[in-house]
Amino acid sequence: MGLGNNGSKVLYSLKLPSRANVATIAVHLRQSEITSADPANHSASDRPVIYVDANNVINVVSRKAVDPVAHTANFLKEWSQEGFIVVPVCDGPRPQSKQQTNKSRAVRQKAKHKSVILRQDLRRISQQLKDGGVDAATRKRLEDEQAELCKSIKSAETQSVNVVPPNFPMLLEEELNKISAHDKRKGGGSVAPVVTAMFEADALIKGAFMNKKFQLVMSNDADYPADLGDKCIAIKEFGTKDLVISSTSKVTLEKAMSSLGNESNANLKVPPHPIYEGVVHIKMRALISVIIGCDVCPGGLPGIAPKTLASEIAKLKESSANNEDIYNNLLAYAVKSGPPSFSEEVLTTFVNAIVYQPTNEFGCEGERTYISDAPQELPGYLQEFKSAATIMESAQNQPASP
């Protein structure tokens, strides 16, 4: 998810021995916010808050469970026992627009078709073995093929299953109620009621981060730290064996380590190409993600690896200190170096898809808010997403409905 195989090449990560270590870091972050007396803090509670991308978590930790939803509910309750306020966020009913989401659907369908074809081969081989009349060597070969086909069918059928049920938010809330997960635990933690995003969970979570509503996000989707800046910390590995948090900033994770004291066994891993570090221009961060590959542009631009991109960004920073100039020059470089299909218009569309994700957050006058500022222009068919600052194209300029 997110940056794919490039995540480890561009993000700092910190391996932690236990959930208690994660809790210590989160408490430190929460206390720092309270001490700063930031008026944007939404709660007087001193408990640290984790926003959980529930659709991501059920796929990561509950895919093989007999009841994935119940397993996910218990997993969330276990984390609350460390003193966290755990806020599960589910995708909403609106159509999913990310290319990675569509790609995942295609992979599931392809796996389903593959399993059907493999089963036909398996029936054929099984019938040959049943009929007999083959020599020992042929029988051994057929039996080996039969065993291999069984493994391939199991793998294909596993990949074809969408572990997230259509009514996931409602079912998850029911399971949380069954196990009293909303009750306050001994350490002060609890699981909050399930929040359902209007669109995708990550847009709501990103909006909540911009409003300083939580200290950590739980998801293995590297888009969170990439999109949200150097202060964002994501719990990217959260299974029973490994706990790893990540950030685009070395300083951010070093501060997190400092809260653990000298006895910590935490291990900081430095990426070879930390290209996001220090980048505050949100569109530039988005463009970097598009180039190396992210949810809106899986695979990125062929031929531009993180190492190459890091070198180019360093050159651009040497020639100009203006963030807007660096962004425009990087955009021009991507158009020139990438395939012809990635024109400036296409790349800009991908960037806008990231920075103008609508959230469930609303401004002081009830207007819709976005990950970045409100877009200045929207086509007529997106009328419902406008804000006071949005200029709508004339409806007469829109193509007629089919």
Side-chain angles (χ1 to χ4, degrees):
M1 294 288 288
L3 306 181
N5 294 331
N6 286 324
S8 60
K9 299 176 184 177
V10 299
L11 299 179
Y12 292 91
S13 61
L14 185 63
K15 188 173 182 179
L16 300 168
S18 67
R19 291 177 182 173
N21 293 135
V22 181
T24 299
I25 290 172
V27 168
H28 173 74
L29 294 172
R30 179 60 181 153
Q31 291 300 324
S32 297
E33 290 179 0
I34 294 174
T35 302
S36 66
D38 190 334
N41 281 324
H42 79 302
S43 172
S45 170
D46 63 347
R47 303 314 308 154
V49 179
I50 296 180
Y51 266 51
V52 177
D53 187 334
N55 287 67
N56 179 275
V57 167
I58 191 174
N59 275 290
V60 173
V61 303
S62 305
R63 173 166 286 278
K64 296 181 180 180
V66 175
D67 186 337
V69 178
H71 186 270
T72 301
N74 278 285
F75 175 81
L76 298 176
K77 182 178 178 180
E78 289 172 4
W79 273 88
S80 72
Q81 291 170 348
E82 298 293 339
F84 292 107
I85 304 298
V86 178
V87 182
V89 183
C90 297
D91 286 342
R94 293 293 188 105
Q96 304 295 301
S97 60
K98 292 188 301 188
Q99 291 304 308
Q100 182 60 48
T101 303
N102 297 327
K103 184 178 178 181
S104 297
R105 286 199 191 102
V107 168
R108 288 197 297 271
Q109 286 300 316
K110 185 177 179 180
K112 187 180 294 184
H113 295 157
K114 180 180 178 182
S115 68
V116 171
I117 294 171
L118 290 174
R119 282 198 174 278
Q120 292 173 350
D121 290 340
L122 180 62
R123 282 195 292 270
R124 175 180 55 79
I125 291 175
S126 297
Q127 189 62 46
Q128 283 184 266
L129 289 170
K130 182 179 179 181
D131 293 343
V134 295
D135 57 43
T138 302
R139 171 169 286 278
K140 178 66 168 61
R141 178 178 59 79
L142 290 174
E143 287 175 345
D144 289 345
E145 287 183 22
Q146 184 184 48
E148 194 61 36
L149 279 170
C150 288
K151 291 180 183 178
S152 298
I153 289 170
K154 184 176 180 181
S155 175
E157 290 181 340
T158 299
Q159 292 178 46
S160 71
V161 174
N162 183 3
V163 71
V164 184
N167 52 347
F168 179 42
M170 180 187 73
L171 294 176
L172 180 58
E173 183 62 35
E174 289 177 357
E175 292 297 333
L176 290 170
N177 281 318
K178 285 180 185 177
I179 59 176
S180 302
H182 297 318
D183 295 348
K184 186 178 290 187
R185 313 255 73 80
K186 185 177 181 180
S190 64
V191 180
V194 174
V195 177
T196 304
M198 185 178 295
F199 300 96
E200 294 176 337
D202 51 352
L204 184 150
I205 293 172
K206 290 171 185 176
F209 178 81
M210 304 300 280
N211 285 320
K212 301 184 179 180
K213 289 189 173 182
F214 63 85
Q215 287 68 55
L216 300 171
V217 56
M218 180 180 289
S219 173
N220 70 355
D221 190 339
D223 281 355
Y224 285 106
D227 293 349
L228 292 176
D230 284 352
K231 291 185 179 180
C232 177
I233 299 178
I235 309 173
K236 75 166 189 173
E237 293 183 30
F238 37 82
T240 55
K241 293 183 179 179
D242 296 315
L243 288 170
V244 178
I245 61 176
S246 66
S247 172
T248 56
S249 167
K250 183 178 181 181
V251 171
T252 295
L253 291 190
E254 285 179 338
K255 287 182 178 178
M257 286 182 66
S258 69
S259 67
L260 299 176
N262 297 328
E263 302 301 319
S264 170
N265 292 321
N267 180 27
L268 178 64
K269 185 176 180 180
V270 178
H273 313 295
I275 49 182
Y276 292 96
E277 190 166 28
V279 177
V280 296
H281 191 282
I282 187 169
K283 283 196 171 183
M284 191 186 305
R285 293 181 78 96
L287 179 57
I288 291 171
S289 294
V290 169
I291 292 173
I292 66 174
C294 59
D295 282 348
V296 302
C297 184
L301 273 64
I304 307 180
K307 182 178 180 179
T308 305
L309 185 58
S311 176
E312 184 62 27
I313 292 174
K315 292 177 184 177
L316 294 177
K317 287 182 177 180
E318 288 178 1
S319 61
S320 176
N322 183 282
N323 287 328
E324 196 66 29
D325 287 344
I326 297 173
Y327 169 75
N328 289 328
N329 290 333
L330 184 61
L331 179 60
Y333 164 78
V335 172
K336 179 180 178 181
S337 304
S341 57
F342 287 89
S343 64
E344 180 177 339
E345 182 181 10
V346 169
L347 292 175
T348 301
T349 298
F350 283 144
V351 168
N352 289 343
I354 294 173
V355 302
Y356 295 135
Q357 295 179 66
T359 74
N360 281 35
E361 303 292 322
F362 291 90
C364 55
E365 297 182 4
E367 71 276 16
R368 186 183 302 279
T369 61
Y370 300 81
I371 302 302
S372 182
D373 297 329
Q376 293 300 301
E377 294 185 23
L378 285 174
Y381 70 90
L382 294 178
Q383 178 77 24
E384 64 175 300
F385 304 130
K386 72 175 183 177
S387 71
T390 302
I391 302 171
M392 303 301 298
E393 293 179 10
S394 172
Q396 65 185 19
N397 293 331
Q398 302 307 308
S401 299

